[in-house]
Amino acid sequence: MDDFASDTDSDYTSYWRDWFISSRGNEYFCEIDEDYLTDRFNLTGLNTEVQYYQYALDLVTDVFDMEVDDDMREQIEKSARHLYGLVHARYVVTTRGLAKMMEKYKQGVFGKCPRVICESQHLLPMGQHDVPNMSNVKLYCAKCEDIYNPKSSRHNTIDGAYFGTSFHNILFQVYPTLMPQKTQRRYEPRIYGFRVHASAALMRWQEERREAMKDRLRQRGIETGFEDEDEGEEEVESEEEEGEDAEDGIDDMFEGQMPAAAIVQ
């Protein structure tokens, strides 16, 4: 019986990171490279933030072989998860960490934006604070530039500090091609087809402010991020103008033929 227990403990500790990453609710995490975990420089300052730090580190790096009771193991396990999360926040802003998180982002592991106009834009995990135990993880949409709560209750319990406040912005700096095109489309409240006055007035004011800001950016030679939609709007406006010109031409043609028709009669 003792041999069986020791074999179980050995299997458990030999693959702690694999077990942690594959556990339900930990899908947002990427696997931290062993050489990063064993480099003491990357762990600077964490020994004061994690209880049973050395035991937790041994467990995470698969070298923990101490026989402890169940209560102590539970405490070490809790500390190991916390330690992994804190190191994870540092790892995901490294080159290899960003590459791993980028693959998860492209696969839609973190979910899609619930805003209809964002058209299922993929989300990224982020924290509102870099200090642990302040707030849970949130999901950032780069298209509408807003944040949302995870759908699953399992993900709602993850500390936001395990991803930090800068990771999502750094990822788009390193991989600019992943940045989605911003959209000017918005939902317009209507009653029987007519825009609600207060909302319409507010939207007009916001659109005027936005256009003024875009003009200032263009004058300084800075891209507004809405060039594609602006070109689309110009094409629509030109088509409408051409349609109006064509209608005017037809009207002029008939007006010019009217006297002749009257003479025939």
Side-chain angles (χ1 to χ4, degrees), residues 184-195:
Q184 301 179 70
R185 293 170 52 206
R186 292 190 299 173
Y187 167 71
E188 294 183 357
R190 293 176 179 269
I191 297 177
Y192 298 118
F194 297 97
R195 292 195 297 179

Side-chain angles (χ1 to χ4, degrees), residues 93-128:
V93 295
T94 65
T95 302
R96 284 187 288 184
L98 286 167
K100 291 181 179 181
M101 296 298 279
M102 181 266 290
E103 289 299 326
K104 284 178 171 284
Y105 169 73
K106 291 170 67 175
Q107 295 169 12
V109 172
F110 309 118
K112 300 176 181 179
C113 183
R115 185 172 180 260
V116 174
I117 298 177
C118 284
E119 300 174 335
S120 300
Q121 170 64 39
H122 289 180
L123 302 171
L124 274 175
M126 60 159 286
Q128 293 178 284

Side-chain angles (χ1 to χ4, degrees), residues 135-231:
S135 62
N136 295 334
V137 66
K138 304 299 179 185
L139 297 173
Y140 171 76
C141 175
K143 197 164 189 177
C144 63
E145 297 182 327
D146 210 342
I147 60 175
Y148 302 90
N149 289 315
K151 288 184 178 180
S152 173
S153 58
R154 297 192 304 271
H155 299 143
N156 265 319
T157 59
I158 300 175
D159 198 313
Y162 296 165
F163 299 90
T165 59
S166 303
F167 153 68
H168 58 293
N169 294 317
I170 294 175
L171 185 138
F172 288 120
Q173 291 289 323
V174 176
Y175 301 104
T177 56
L178 296 180
M179 176 66 75
Q181 183 68 39
K182 299 292 189 296
T183 178
Q184 301 179 70
R185 293 170 52 206
R186 292 190 299 173
Y187 167 71
E188 294 183 357
R190 293 176 179 269
I191 297 177
Y192 298 118
F194 297 97
R195 292 195 297 179
V196 179
H197 175 70
S199 299
L202 175 61
M203 292 182 71
R204 281 196 300 272
W205 178 82
Q206 290 175 335
E207 289 170 359
E208 291 173 357
R209 299 281 293 182
R210 183 179 62 198
E211 291 301 323
M213 180 185 68
K214 286 160 62 177
D215 289 339
R216 290 197 299 270
L217 291 174
R218 291 193 190 99
Q219 290 172 3
R220 298 183 181 182
I222 302 174
E223 294 183 0
T224 65
F226 299 104
E227 284 76 9
D228 292 342
E229 288 195 2
D230 290 340
E231 291 176 1

Side-chain angles (χ1 to χ4, degrees), residues 9 51 87 99 180 201 245:
D9 290 344
Q51 190 178 21
V87 178
D245 293 341

